[in-house]
mmCIF file of all heavy atoms in Angstrom:
data_model
loop_
_atom_site.group_PDB
_atom_site.id
_atom_site.type_symbol
_atom_site.label_atom_id
_atom_site.label_comp_id
_atom_site.label_asym_id
_atom_site.label_seq_id
_atom_site.Cartn_x
_atom_site.Cartn_y
_atom_site.Cartn_z
ATOM 1 N N ARG A 60 -37.081 -14.361 -27.703
ATOM 2 C CA ARG A 60 -36.922 -12.936 -27.443
ATOM 3 C C ARG A 60 -35.520 -12.473 -27.812
ATOM 4 O O ARG A 60 -35.320 -11.458 -28.471
ATOM 5 C CB ARG A 60 -37.174 -12.674 -25.955
ATOM 6 C CG ARG A 60 -37.905 -11.366 -25.707
ATOM 7 C CD ARG A 60 -38.219 -11.188 -24.253
ATOM 8 N NE ARG A 60 -38.908 -12.345 -23.690
ATOM 9 C CZ ARG A 60 -38.621 -12.870 -22.507
ATOM 10 N NH1 ARG A 60 -37.683 -12.357 -21.761
ATOM 11 N NH2 ARG A 60 -39.280 -13.912 -22.045
ATOM 12 N N GLU A 61 -34.556 -13.289 -27.421
ATOM 13 C CA GLU A 61 -33.165 -12.918 -27.715
ATOM 14 C C GLU A 61 -32.914 -12.807 -29.194
ATOM 15 O O GLU A 61 -32.306 -11.854 -29.676
ATOM 16 C CB GLU A 61 -32.254 -14.003 -27.167
ATOM 17 C CG GLU A 61 -31.450 -13.576 -25.976
ATOM 18 C CD GLU A 61 -30.605 -14.747 -25.534
ATOM 19 O OE1 GLU A 61 -29.768 -15.156 -26.350
ATOM 20 O OE2 GLU A 61 -30.821 -15.245 -24.424
ATOM 21 N N ALA A 62 -33.397 -13.833 -29.921
ATOM 22 C CA ALA A 62 -33.134 -13.853 -31.357
ATOM 23 C C ALA A 62 -33.784 -12.651 -32.027
ATOM 24 O O ALA A 62 -33.177 -12.011 -32.896
ATOM 25 C CB ALA A 62 -33.655 -15.156 -31.958
ATOM 26 N N GLN A 63 -34.985 -12.322 -31.586
ATOM 27 C CA GLN A 63 -35.664 -11.175 -32.213
ATOM 28 C C GLN A 63 -34.917 -9.885 -31.940
ATOM 29 O O GLN A 63 -34.738 -9.053 -32.824
ATOM 30 C CB GLN A 63 -37.100 -11.076 -31.686
ATOM 31 C CG GLN A 63 -38.019 -12.064 -32.344
ATOM 32 C CD GLN A 63 -39.376 -12.092 -31.677
ATOM 33 O OE1 GLN A 63 -39.528 -11.629 -30.541
ATOM 34 N NE2 GLN A 63 -40.355 -12.616 -32.360
ATOM 35 N N GLU A 64 -34.443 -9.745 -30.711
ATOM 36 C CA GLU A 64 -33.675 -8.520 -30.395
ATOM 37 C C GLU A 64 -32.439 -8.428 -31.242
ATOM 38 O O GLU A 64 -32.071 -7.371 -31.748
ATOM 39 C CB GLU A 64 -33.263 -8.540 -28.922
ATOM 40 C CG GLU A 64 -34.331 -8.052 -28.002
ATOM 41 C CD GLU A 64 -33.905 -8.257 -26.541
ATOM 42 O OE1 GLU A 64 -32.692 -8.482 -26.298
ATOM 43 O OE2 GLU A 64 -34.789 -8.205 -25.683
ATOM 44 N N PHE A 65 -31.783 -9.586 -31.392
ATOM 45 C CA PHE A 65 -30.535 -9.598 -32.152
ATOM 46 C C PHE A 65 -30.793 -9.157 -33.587
ATOM 47 O O PHE A 65 -30.088 -8.308 -34.135
ATOM 48 C CB PHE A 65 -29.931 -11.003 -32.114
ATOM 49 C CG PHE A 65 -28.582 -11.075 -32.741
ATOM 50 C CD1 PHE A 65 -27.446 -10.736 -32.014
ATOM 51 C CD2 PHE A 65 -28.441 -11.473 -34.056
ATOM 52 C CE1 PHE A 65 -26.203 -10.799 -32.599
ATOM 53 C CE2 PHE A 65 -27.200 -11.537 -34.637
ATOM 54 C CZ PHE A 65 -26.082 -11.195 -33.913
ATOM 55 N N VAL A 66 -31.824 -9.748 -34.171
ATOM 56 C CA VAL A 66 -32.099 -9.423 -35.573
ATOM 57 C C VAL A 66 -32.415 -7.938 -35.713
ATOM 58 O O VAL A 66 -31.893 -7.249 -36.589
ATOM 59 C CB VAL A 66 -33.276 -10.285 -36.080
ATOM 60 C CG1 VAL A 66 -33.769 -9.747 -37.396
ATOM 61 C CG2 VAL A 66 -32.830 -11.710 -36.225
ATOM 62 N N GLU A 67 -33.221 -7.455 -34.797
ATOM 63 C CA GLU A 67 -33.578 -6.038 -34.861
ATOM 64 C C GLU A 67 -32.348 -5.158 -34.794
ATOM 65 O O GLU A 67 -32.189 -4.208 -35.531
ATOM 66 C CB GLU A 67 -34.472 -5.724 -33.666
ATOM 67 C CG GLU A 67 -35.682 -4.901 -33.993
ATOM 68 C CD GLU A 67 -36.484 -4.732 -32.718
ATOM 69 O OE1 GLU A 67 -36.186 -3.780 -31.985
ATOM 70 O OE2 GLU A 67 -37.371 -5.557 -32.471
ATOM 71 N N LYS A 68 -31.476 -5.542 -33.868
ATOM 72 C CA LYS A 68 -30.326 -4.685 -33.607
ATOM 73 C C LYS A 68 -29.393 -4.672 -34.795
ATOM 74 O O LYS A 68 -28.890 -3.630 -35.207
ATOM 75 C CB LYS A 68 -29.613 -5.238 -32.370
ATOM 76 C CG LYS A 68 -28.555 -4.336 -31.830
ATOM 77 C CD LYS A 68 -28.198 -4.795 -30.411
ATOM 78 C CE LYS A 68 -26.858 -4.205 -30.022
ATOM 79 N NZ LYS A 68 -26.188 -4.971 -29.012
ATOM 80 N N TYR A 69 -29.131 -5.860 -35.352
ATOM 81 C CA TYR A 69 -28.051 -5.904 -36.328
ATOM 82 C C TYR A 69 -28.501 -5.800 -37.768
ATOM 83 O O TYR A 69 -27.686 -5.672 -38.650
ATOM 84 C CB TYR A 69 -27.220 -7.173 -36.111
ATOM 85 C CG TYR A 69 -26.379 -7.017 -34.888
ATOM 86 C CD1 TYR A 69 -26.716 -7.671 -33.699
ATOM 87 C CD2 TYR A 69 -25.286 -6.164 -34.871
ATOM 88 C CE1 TYR A 69 -25.971 -7.488 -32.569
ATOM 89 C CE2 TYR A 69 -24.549 -5.992 -33.735
ATOM 90 C CZ TYR A 69 -24.893 -6.655 -32.589
ATOM 91 O OH TYR A 69 -24.148 -6.460 -31.472
ATOM 92 N N GLU A 70 -29.830 -5.855 -37.966
ATOM 93 C CA GLU A 70 -30.258 -5.653 -39.352
ATOM 94 C C GLU A 70 -29.883 -4.265 -39.793
ATOM 95 O O GLU A 70 -29.562 -4.028 -40.946
ATOM 96 C CB GLU A 70 -31.762 -5.849 -39.451
ATOM 97 C CG GLU A 70 -32.098 -7.275 -39.742
ATOM 98 C CD GLU A 70 -33.381 -7.425 -40.520
ATOM 99 O OE1 GLU A 70 -34.370 -6.831 -40.085
ATOM 100 O OE2 GLU A 70 -33.352 -8.094 -41.557
ATOM 101 N N GLY A 71 -29.876 -3.373 -38.834
ATOM 102 C CA GLY A 71 -29.485 -2.010 -39.167
ATOM 103 C C GLY A 71 -28.081 -1.967 -39.730
ATOM 104 O O GLY A 71 -27.795 -1.234 -40.672
ATOM 105 N N ALA A 72 -27.235 -2.833 -39.189
ATOM 106 C CA ALA A 72 -25.849 -2.807 -39.649
ATOM 107 C C ALA A 72 -25.728 -3.230 -41.093
ATOM 108 O O ALA A 72 -24.766 -2.890 -41.767
ATOM 109 C CB ALA A 72 -25.012 -3.729 -38.764
ATOM 110 N N LEU A 73 -26.688 -4.017 -41.528
ATOM 111 C CA LEU A 73 -26.530 -4.555 -42.871
ATOM 112 C C LEU A 73 -27.170 -3.671 -43.921
ATOM 113 O O LEU A 73 -27.316 -4.073 -45.047
ATOM 114 C CB LEU A 73 -27.144 -5.957 -42.931
ATOM 115 C CG LEU A 73 -26.465 -6.872 -41.945
ATOM 116 C CD1 LEU A 73 -27.196 -8.175 -41.833
ATOM 117 C CD2 LEU A 73 -25.037 -7.115 -42.376
ATOM 118 N N GLY A 74 -27.541 -2.482 -43.523
ATOM 119 C CA GLY A 74 -27.982 -1.550 -44.545
ATOM 120 C C GLY A 74 -29.445 -1.638 -44.898
ATOM 121 O O GLY A 74 -29.868 -1.053 -45.881
ATOM 122 N N LYS A 75 -30.224 -2.381 -44.090
ATOM 123 C CA LYS A 75 -31.651 -2.402 -44.411
ATOM 124 C C LYS A 75 -32.260 -1.154 -43.808
ATOM 125 O O LYS A 75 -32.333 -0.999 -42.605
ATOM 126 C CB LYS A 75 -32.305 -3.644 -43.794
ATOM 127 C CG LYS A 75 -31.670 -4.912 -44.284
ATOM 128 C CD LYS A 75 -32.692 -6.025 -44.361
ATOM 129 C CE LYS A 75 -32.153 -7.160 -45.193
ATOM 130 N NZ LYS A 75 -31.198 -8.017 -44.514
ATOM 131 N N GLY A 76 -32.628 -0.251 -44.637
ATOM 132 C CA GLY A 76 -33.219 0.998 -44.164
ATOM 133 C C GLY A 76 -32.155 1.907 -43.579
ATOM 134 O O GLY A 76 -30.966 1.771 -43.866
#
Side-chain angles (χ1 to χ4, degrees):
Chain A
R60 217 176 308 137
E61 250 180 63
Q63 281 172 342
E64 277 173 16
F65 186 84
V66 167
E67 225 178 87
K68 190 164 162 204
Y69 286 105
E70 270 209 310
L73 300 171
K75 301 213 165 78

